[in-house]
Amino acid sequence: MTATLDERYTRESGRILVSGTQALVRLPMIQRRRDLAAGLDTAGYVSGYRGSPLASFDREMAVAARHLKAHHVVFQPGLNEDMAATAVWGTQQSGLFPGARYDGVFSMWYGKGPGVDRTMDVIRHANAVGTGPHGGVLLLAGDDHGAVSSTLPHQSEHNLISAMVPMLSPAGVGEYIEYGLLGWAMSRFSGAWVGFKCQTETVECTASVDVDPGRPTIVTPDFETPPDGLSLRWPDGPHAMELRLERKLEAVHAFAAANRLDTSRWRDGRTRLGIVSTGKSWLDLLAALEALGIDEARARELGIALYKVGLAWPLEPAGLAAFARGLEEILVVEEKRPILEDQIKALLFNLPEGARPRVLGKRDETGAPLLPAHGEIEGRAVGAALALDLEHGPS
């Protein structure tokens, strides 16, 4: 049977050919179908402002307009990023008023890195106020690490961390739909907006991916929420919102642990070196290991284990602690300024002497540069750092 271009939006299971941008367009349609199957009558809302690496997002949304309409998803480009985010914020308030047409509205904001910069006031306030229990907000941050089409290289994590917005970091197009659905579920559960990193090398590439309406299976954590919940409410006060933000991040940790957003691979009792990575850097790490001839069997001989992080911030502490137990050293592979490395050092700092592994990343144990914090990294740079670490690391 001949495949059609529409299948990237209409086919419910099997393999489809999609770009990262098209996977994001497909995402709200899947959310609507999953909600209906769960007995919820929801609608979707998408707004933002285009810019590389999300320059073609609005065009793809327009191409899929009839499919989106059939799934009760409204696409309204913003006059600018701030107004788009304010409109998204408003969708979460539909349950506060009588006469709501839907059980909730799940929303998506999109913008390139400088758009995140200029919209931080809205993002900070909207995240503090919260999301609807059957709504949720996914915040697509388009980061151009190499300044391919930007005035400056960009990394959005630090801005979003300052507003206490959790950040998901998918590795490859194949994880866009999975992480997007997990992101909306996390947003509903925790009451927080959830960031979603869209890096140039991933969102602009095309891949053949498997789709399954039953995946991912999303687990509701066993978590004691406050009596009045974590969702937005009215009236609300600034000190109550600040206190609730702390509880939201605890709920994010519980959700991440229950849904295994961070996973350990090749770990056994002989492991001495743990390598931690996330997002596009995870793919660079795998390429480096392959180039060095290190497969699972060879890794076990060398005492190497891997830790793939899906929730880049706030890093889930229990899973990391279990992975770090018994290690002599942790090597962190990530682009730009450290996000994972700083969190790992903070989380492991109070371990007793002898139980605390060395943590390397941007610099080695002597303070010499190891992986750059500027530009982009790729498989060869990761391979060179790993080879150096294996040569001079613990025996």
Side-chain angles (χ1 to χ4, degrees), residues 90-151:
T91 65
Q92 300 307 293
Q93 301 173 30
S94 63
L96 298 180
F97 308 99
R101 295 170 53 197
Y102 296 97
D103 295 328
V105 180
F106 54 90
S107 295
M108 179 188 289
W109 178 92
Y110 65 95
K112 67 182 297 183
V116 174
D117 288 346
R118 67 162 289 162
T119 314
M120 282 308 300
D121 182 52
V122 180
I123 292 171
R124 186 181 306 278
H125 282 81
N127 182 54
V129 170
T131 61
H134 300 310
V137 174
L138 205 60
L139 189 157
L140 309 184
D143 279 349
D144 183 4
H145 281 192
V148 176
S149 55
S150 305
T151 55

Side-chain angles (χ1 to χ4, degrees), residues 250-262:
E250 293 173 13
V252 165
H253 278 156
F255 184 93
N259 288 279
R260 295 179 52 80
L261 286 176
D262 306 333

Side-chain angles (χ1 to χ4, degrees), residues 168-179 196-199 201-203 205 207 209 261 265 277-286 308-311:
L168 294 173
S169 185
V173 175
E175 289 188 347
Y176 269 31
I177 292 173
E178 176 187 358
Y179 277 39
F196 188 99
K197 191 171 181 73
C198 297
Q199 197 169 330
E201 295 87 345
T202 305
V203 73
C205 76
V209 301
L261 286 176
R265 306 185 185 189
S277 191
T278 187
K280 180 252 181 187
S281 297
W282 170 258
L283 302 180
D284 293 328
L285 170 61
L286 296 184
K308 180 181 182 296
V309 174
L311 180 66

Side-chain angles (χ1 to χ4, degrees), residues 61-79:
M61 292 294 284
V63 168
R66 63 188 177 91
H67 302 300
L68 292 166
K69 184 177 180 180
H71 288 81
H72 298 229
V73 177
V74 172
F75 171 57
Q76 179 59 61
L79 181 64

